[in-house]
Amino acid sequence: MALTQVSSNKCAGGFQKVFEHDSTELKCKMKFAIYLPPKAETDKCPVLYWLSGLTCTEQNFITKAGSQLAAAEHGIIIVAPDTSPRGCNIEGEDESWDFGTGAGFYVNATQDPWKTNYRMYSYVTEELPKLINANFSTDPDRMSISGHSMGGHGALICALKNPGKYKAVSAFAPICNPVQCPWGQKAFTGYLGADRSAWEAYDATVLAASYSGPQLDILIDQGRDDQFLSASQLLPDNLIAVCSEKKIPVVFRLQPGYDHSYFFIYSFINDHIKHHAKYLNA
Amino acid sequence: MAHFLKPWSILSARSSRTEHADQCFQSQNCIRSPECFVQENFGRQEQHLEQHYNDVLQTLSQRYDDRETGLQEEKKSKLESLYKQLVACGQALDTSKELIETAQEVYRCQDERLFLKVAQLGLLRDFFFLEFAKEDIDLSLSTSLEFSTPLADLSDVKTMMDSINVVPAPSAPVINPQLPNSATQTSLHVCWSLFSDDTVEYYELYYRPVLEDTPADSTCVKVKETHCTVTDLLHNAQYELWVTATNTTGISPASEKALYMTVPSPPAIKQRECSSCPEAALIRWESGNTNPVDSYIVELSETGTVGAESNITESIVAVPTCQCLIQLQAGRQYLISVRAVNIGGPSDRSDAITISTTGTFFYLLEDTAHPCLSMSEDGFTIFYGDEELCVAILGDLIPVRGRHYWEVEVDDETEFRVGVAYEDTERDGYLGANGSSWCMRHIRTPSRHKYEFLHNGWSPDLRITVHPVRIGVALDYDRGTLSFFNANLEQHLHTFHCRFHNYVHPCFSLDNPGALTVHNGIQAPDYTFI
C-alpha cells in the first residue's frame, strides 16, 4: 500500500496533492487527488469523496471545480479518484468515450474482459477509504460522497447501497436511472451482461425504492440547459418520484441557464460542500 | 433714658440661671430630655423678651429724637422771627430819625422865603404824618417767648409695653419642599418649621389639588406636630399646601404655598407587545396614569438558568417613553417590571413579565391580520376559512440585527406562504410577489406538493420530495440571508441572499382554508447558521 506523491501545490492555505499507488482491486497503478485543508495539519478531518464523470481523470475536479476554498473553510479533506482503471490494455477499452476507459460507471463488472480490472465500486467503497485512512489525518467515521454525471450516479448508489456509511450525499447532474437511459444500458450490458436484474443493483432509482436505513438528505443540482438532460440521459424525475413516494428527503434544484460543464459545478460547489459540512462537522 | 435700662438688668439676672441649664443640656447626648425642653422654652422666652424690650426702647428713642428735633426747629423759627422783627424795628427807627433830622433842619432854616415855601407846602406836616403813619410800628413781639409742648402720643409705646406681657401671635411658618420618597400614590408627608421661636398651640394645614381650570376647594387638617401625612389623595396629582400657626393671641399669616406631588400608579406591561431574542428584549407598557409622568424605571432580575434565584438586579432609569429595548444575555430567564416616576418619587412595581432569552420570541400582530384571518387565543395559530384570497399577518419581531430563528407548523393540505417582509410591504399584494417580501410557498395539487421560494415574483425551480410539516426559518441580518429548513429532518431547503436595508417582520399567509401555528422562543439549531 505504498503511496507515491506525484504532485503537491499549496492551495487555499492547504495542499492539493496527487498520489499514485498499486490498486489491488483494479490490478493496476491508480492515481488519486487529495486536498488537505489547513486544519489537517493539527486535527483529524472528515473526508468527502468526489466521483468524476465520463472522460474525466483525477485532474478535472481539482483544476476546474474551485472546491479548495470551501474545503479549507470547513476543514474537509476531498479525495478525487480516477474514473476507471488505466493502462490495463483491455481490448475495446478506448473505443468509446462513454464505455471502458474513463467510464467505469462505479460498478464491479461481472463480464469478461472487464471483470478483472473494472471493479470501481469496490475500489471506491473499500480499497480507497482504507488507503486514505491509513495514510492521512482522517476521522474514519466521518465520510461523505458526491459526484458529477456518472460520478453523481456513483455517489448515489454508493450511499444507497451502504446505509449509514456516508454521512452526506449530493450530486451534480447525476445519471439517476441508468437502466432507463442509453448510457446506462450500454455500460451495464458491457460490464454486467444482459440480465437486467443485475443492473438494478447499480441503479439509484431502483435502489431508492427499496432503501431502508438511516435517513438520507440528498442535494441534487441540475442545469436546466444541460444537453444530456434533454437527451433523456439523466432522468431525475424518475428518482424524484420514487423518493417522494418513499419519503427519502431530496432537494432537487433546476438551475436555469446552466449546462453540463465544470462551469456549472464551479457555480454551486460551495453549496454542496456546505451541505456536506453540516453533517461531517456535526 | 436711664430708667429704660431696667429691662436689661432683668435679663442679665436671668442669664446666670441659664448657665446651670446649659450645663445640664451639654451633658446629655442630644436626647430630648425635659432639660432640653426647658432650655428651649427658656431660650424662646428670653429671646422674645429681648426682642420686645428692644422694640420699646427703639420706639422711645425714636420719639425722643423726633421731639427734640421739633423743639430745635421751633426755637430756630422763633429766633428768626424775632430777629426779623428787630431788623424791621431798626429800619423803622432809622427812617424816623431821618425824618426828624430833616424836620429839624427845616425848622432851623433862617431863610424866610424858604420857610414860606415850605409853609406853603403845608403838606409838610401831612407828609411827616403820612410818613410816620406809614410805619405802623408794631412793637408787640411777633412770636411768643414760650415753647409749645404738644402732648406726646405714646399710645403705641404703651401698647407695646402692654404686649410684653402678652404672647404674640406667631409669625408665618416655613413649609418645607417635598422630600424625596416621602409620598405614596395616595398620601403626602408634609413638614414645616417655625420662622422664629414662637409659641404655638396648634397648626392648621390646608391643601387642595391643583386643577387646570377652576381652583378646587381646600381641606384643612389640625395638627399639633410640625408634620402631617395627608391621605386619600389622587395618584400622580399635584397639590398646593400651606400652613398657619395658632396660639392664644391669634393666627399667624399663612406660610408660602408649597407644591407637592403624589407618586404615580404603577404601569401595566403589555404582554402581547413584548418580544425578545438571545441578546435583547423589547418591553412595552401602558403608563397606568391619565396625566403624564416624568419617566419610567425598568427593573430586571435574572431568575437563573436552572431556576435558582440569583437575583442580579439591574435598573434602567430615565426611560422617556412607554417602551424599552434592553440588552440581555443569551440562554437566561429574566423577570422584568416597570415603575412610573414623577417628582414625588417612583410608583410601585408593575406586575412582572418573564422573558426567556432562548431563541427569538415574538407575537403575531393582530392589527396587521387580514380581516378574513382568525387567530387562536394564545395568538400563535391562524385560521382561514375562505377561498381565493391571500390573507396574511405579520409577526412583531424585535428590531435587533443579528440572528433570529422560528418555526412554523403546517399540515399536509394547507397552502401557505411563510417568510419575512418589510413593515411597509403592500398589504393588498401577495407575499413574495414584490421586492419587499420573501417567502416559501406551498401549493397543493391533487397529485403532489409544489414549492416556490418567492421574491419579486420570481422563484427558483425546486423539487422537494418530503413535505415539511415543521418549517424552520432562519434570518441573519449581518450575512444577509433568509433560510428555510425542514426542521424535523434538519434538511436545508433554500436560502435567499439579500441585504436587508431595514428591519423585517416575519409574515405568514394562508392561500386556502387551513391553519398554521407559529413556534418561537426556540434556540436556533447549529445547522441553521453554518
Side-chain angles (χ1 to χ4, degrees):
Chain A
M1 289 241 271
L3 284 182
T4 319
Q5 183 167 297
V6 173
S7 66
S8 175
N9 299 89
K10 183 141 187 177
C11 185
F15 289 92
Q16 181 61 65
K17 293 175 183 277
V18 177
F19 288 88
E20 192 177 43
H21 71 113
D22 275 308
S23 165
T24 50
E25 286 287 347
L26 307 176
K27 311 258 185 320
C28 64
K29 275 193 174 0
M30 283 293 281
K31 288 201 194 110
F32 64 87
I34 181 165
Y35 177 74
L36 298 164
K39 193 174 169 208
E41 283 176 42
T42 50
D43 293 322
K44 290 191 183 306
C45 295
V47 184
L48 164 59
Y49 288 89
W50 170 270
L51 305 180
S52 291
L54 291 165
T55 78
C56 292
T57 66
E58 81 290 347
Q59 287 294 313
N60 307 71
F61 180 73
I62 62 173
T63 55
K64 293 185 176 186
S67 61
Q68 289 86 345
L69 275 171
E73 184 192 327
H74 294 288
I76 298 172
I77 293 170
I78 304 184
V79 174
D82 201 342
T83 51
S84 76
R86 300 236 176 218
C88 301
N89 277 319
I90 301 165
E91 193 175 333
E93 68 180 358
D94 294 324
E95 259 172 35
S96 340
W97 62 274
D98 55 3
F99 182 78
T101 305
F105 271 85
Y106 304 102
V107 300
N108 284 349
T110 55
Q111 303 300 303
D112 281 322
W114 312 101
K115 66 184 191 196
T116 311
N117 302 97
Y118 276 70
R119 295 181 58 76
M120 287 300 289
Y121 177 76
S122 291
Y123 177 70
V124 165
T125 56
E126 306 288 336
E127 182 178 358
L128 194 56
K130 280 202 191 84
L131 185 69
I132 299 296
N133 292 336
N135 288 280
F136 299 97
S137 172
T138 65
D139 180 347
D141 290 331
R142 291 188 290 155
M143 51 189 217
S144 67
I145 193 158
S146 186
H148 168 241
S149 192
M150 176 184 76
H153 142 82
L156 291 170
I157 64 167
C158 288
L160 288 164
K161 283 164 80 73
N162 295 279
K165 186 182 179 91
Y166 298 97
K167 297 281 174 282
V169 55
S170 74
F172 288 81
I175 302 168
C176 298
N177 199 191
V179 305
Q180 303 275 18
C181 75
W183 273 340
Q185 285 157 356
K186 177 175 174 178
F188 287 175
T189 308
Y191 298 133
L192 305 172
D195 181 12
R196 291 176 85 97
S197 60
W199 297 5
E200 286 173 358
Y202 295 102
D203 185 305
T205 303
V206 176
L207 291 166
S210 58
Y211 175 79
S212 80
Q215 187 178 279
L216 294 166
D217 177 3
I218 306 173
L219 173 64
I220 299 174
D221 267 311
Q222 172 64 59
R224 189 151 66 191
D225 291 9
D226 185 334
Q227 53 173 312
F228 302 110
L229 178 67
S230 35
S232 302
Q233 292 280 22
L234 306 176
L235 306 171
D237 289 341
N238 296 356
L239 179 64
I240 290 162
V242 170
C243 288
S244 301
E245 173 75 33
K246 295 294 174 186
K247 304 269 185 277
I248 296 173
V250 174
V251 173
F252 173 86
R253 317 195 297 188
L254 200 61
Q255 304 289 7
Y258 289 92
D259 57 20
H260 199 72
S261 70
Y262 266 87
F263 294 111
F264 165 60
I265 297 169
Y266 181 95
S267 305
F268 298 101
I269 190 69
N270 282 349
D271 285 350
H272 283 248
I273 292 177
K274 204 161 130 174
H275 169 79
H276 286 260
K278 181 168 106 186
Y279 296 100
L280 292 175
N281 289 332
Chain B
M1 294 284 280
H3 64 285
F4 288 123
L5 291 173
K6 197 170 171 195
W8 294 105
S9 63
I10 296 169
L11 286 174
S12 64
R14 284 203 182 167
S15 69
S16 64
R17 256 181 267 167
T18 70
E19 279 172 357
H20 178 69
D22 260 323
Q23 281 158 12
C24 291
F25 179 75
Q26 304 288 349
S27 70
Q28 302 292 341
N29 283 332
C30 299
I31 302 165
R32 304 276 302 171
S33 58
E35 290 88 344
C36 291
F37 282 107
V38 166
Q39 179 72 7
E40 275 193 23
N41 290 335
F42 170 78
R44 266 204 289 273
Q45 287 286 31
E46 185 182 20
Q47 279 199 313
H48 160 64
L49 199 66
E50 202 178 313
Q51 182 71 25
H52 254 93
Y53 277 91
N54 268 337
D55 290 344
V56 168
L57 288 173
Q58 266 186 357
T59 311
L60 284 176
S61 175
Q62 185 69 29
R63 289 297 162 76
Y64 167 78
D65 287 338
D66 290 342
R67 189 80 191 93
E68 201 198 3
T69 313
L71 278 175
Q72 290 277 13
E73 284 181 7
E74 210 183 332
K75 168 180 124 184
K76 189 170 160 193
S77 87
K78 278 188 197 295
L79 285 175
E80 273 181 17
S81 163
L82 284 173
Y83 180 73
K84 268 203 201 128
Q85 216 175 24
L86 208 60
V87 167
C89 278
Q91 283 177 341
L93 268 171
D94 286 340
T95 315
S96 297
K97 196 171 159 190
E98 275 177 33
L99 276 172
I100 289 173
E101 278 177 7
T102 312
Q104 279 178 338
E105 265 189 49
V106 169
Y107 178 71
R108 272 194 291 266
C109 185
Q110 300 297 324
D111 194 338
E112 290 168 356
R113 269 186 293 161
L114 191 61
F115 188 81
L116 274 172
K117 215 192 252 182
V118 170
Q120 269 177 340
L121 304 167
L123 308 159
L124 203 66
R125 191 191 56 202
D126 301 316
F127 170 72
F128 282 124
F129 274 123
L130 276 170
E131 284 297 317
F132 273 109
K134 240 198 221 172
E135 306 284 331
D136 188 13
I137 295 165
D138 182 7
L139 292 175
S140 65
L141 287 174
S142 58
T143 95
S144 142
L145 295 173
E146 297 295 323
F147 282 88
S148 61
T149 11
L151 280 171
D153 179 13
L154 292 172
S155 57
D156 52 348
V157 177
K158 184 167 189 306
T159 321
M160 285 168 80
M161 293 297 293
D162 287 340
S163 76
I164 282 174
N165 300 322
V166 172
V167 166
S171 3
V174 176
I175 192 164
N176 294 353
Q178 186 171 11
L179 283 174
N181 296 324
S182 62
T184 70
Q185 251 175 249
T186 53
S187 74
L188 293 169
H189 185 75
V190 192
C191 300
W192 55 87
S193 55
L194 292 176
F195 178 71
S196 54
D197 297 310
D198 294 323
T199 308
V200 173
E201 232 182 70
Y202 61 86
Y203 299 93
E204 282 179 307
L205 173 67
Y206 295 82
Y207 61 92
R208 65 177 175 211
V210 175
L211 301 175
E212 260 183 32
D213 358 339
T214 53
D217 293 329
S218 62
T219 315
C220 180
V221 179
K222 187 164 148 177
V223 297
K224 283 213 181 276
E225 304 82 16
T226 55
H227 57 87
C228 176
T229 303
V230 291
T231 55
D232 251 349
L233 302 174
L234 301 168
H235 64 260
N236 192 35
Q238 202 174 42
Y239 284 84
E240 204 178 32
L241 302 111
W242 63 96
V243 67
T244 61
T246 306
N247 61 16
T248 47
T249 307
I251 309 177
S252 75
S255 69
E256 298 245 335
K257 294 200 171 78
L259 285 175
Y260 275 46
M261 198 142 183
T262 49
V263 306
S265 290
I269 294 180
K270 297 194 268 195
Q271 172 111 13
R272 292 271 183 126
E273 292 191 33
C274 296
S275 54
S276 63
C277 70
E279 301 94 35
L282 177 64
I283 310 293
R284 293 191 176 110
W285 58 86
E286 267 164 4
S287 166
N289 295 275
T290 36
N291 292 327
V293 298
D294 289 348
S295 66
Y296 299 92
I297 298 175
V298 178
E299 294 174 339
L300 49 131
S301 65
E302 205 184 302
T303 62
T305 49
V306 278
E309 287 288 321
S310 46
N311 268 325
I312 302 160
T313 305
E314 196 188 310
S315 283
I316 302 163
V317 300
V319 177
T321 55
C322 289
Q323 66 173 47
C324 189
L325 184 67
I326 311 168
Q327 274 201 314
L328 298 170
Q329 299 207 294
R332 314 269 173 105
Q333 201 169 52
Y334 296 87
L335 276 176
I336 299 177
S337 53
V338 187
R339 296 182 198 258
V341 180
N342 64 18
I343 51 166
S347 70
D348 289 336
R349 265 193 212 143
S350 68
D351 287 336
I353 186 180
T354 304
I355 292 285
S356 181
T357 50
T358 298
T360 290
F361 183 89
F362 58 87
Y363 282 97
L364 299 179
L365 289 165
E366 230 179 314
D367 52 2
T368 65
H370 191 282
C372 294
L373 211 60
S374 53
M375 212 151 89
S376 65
E377 208 176 293
D378 65 1
F380 287 106
T381 301
I382 55 174
F383 307 92
Y384 173 47
D386 266 319
E387 302 270 354
E388 300 302 331
L389 276 179
C390 170
V391 293
I393 187 171
L394 299 179
D396 191 15
L397 183 65
I398 190 172
V400 169
R401 297 187 77 85
R403 293 173 170 173
H404 302 284
Y405 177 77
W406 60 94
E407 292 179 357
V408 187
E409 190 187 333
V410 295
D411 58 39
D412 215 55
E413 299 301 317
T414 305
E415 291 189 326
F416 57 81
R417 300 180 197 226
V418 302
V420 301
Y422 290 125
E423 185 158 23
D424 57 1
T425 193
E426 290 162 34
R427 302 312 320 286
D428 306 337
Y430 284 86
L431 284 174
N434 48 48
S436 55
S437 58
W438 295 257
C439 71
M440 168 181 174
R441 181 183 178 197
H442 171 236
I443 303 159
R444 193 68 169 97
T445 71
S447 57
R448 63 189 188 96
H449 301 266
K450 282 173 69 175
Y451 302 91
E452 291 177 350
F453 291 87
L454 290 161
H455 174 64
N456 264 324
W458 186 87
S459 167
D461 198 332
L462 278 99
R463 309 287 142 79
I464 295 171
T465 56
V466 177
H467 174 64
V469 292
R470 192 136 167 148
I471 299 159
V473 185
L475 169 67
D476 190 331
Y477 277 104
D478 299 322
R479 279 207 214 155
T481 58
L482 177 69
S483 301
F484 296 85
F485 300 88
N486 178 328
N488 289 338
L489 302 180
E490 297 186 1
Q491 180 191 35
H492 170 258
L493 301 175
H494 180 72
T495 297
F496 288 102
H497 294 271
C498 36
R499 292 274 144 207
F500 298 107
H501 60 73
N502 216 334
Y503 294 114
V504 291
H505 289 279
C507 56
F508 314 89
S509 81
L510 296 169
D511 289 352
N512 74 346
L516 64 78
T517 301
V518 180
H519 296 271
N520 53 30
I522 303 164
Q523 184 164 2
D526 292 335
Y527 65 83
T528 55
F529 289 115
I530 294 177

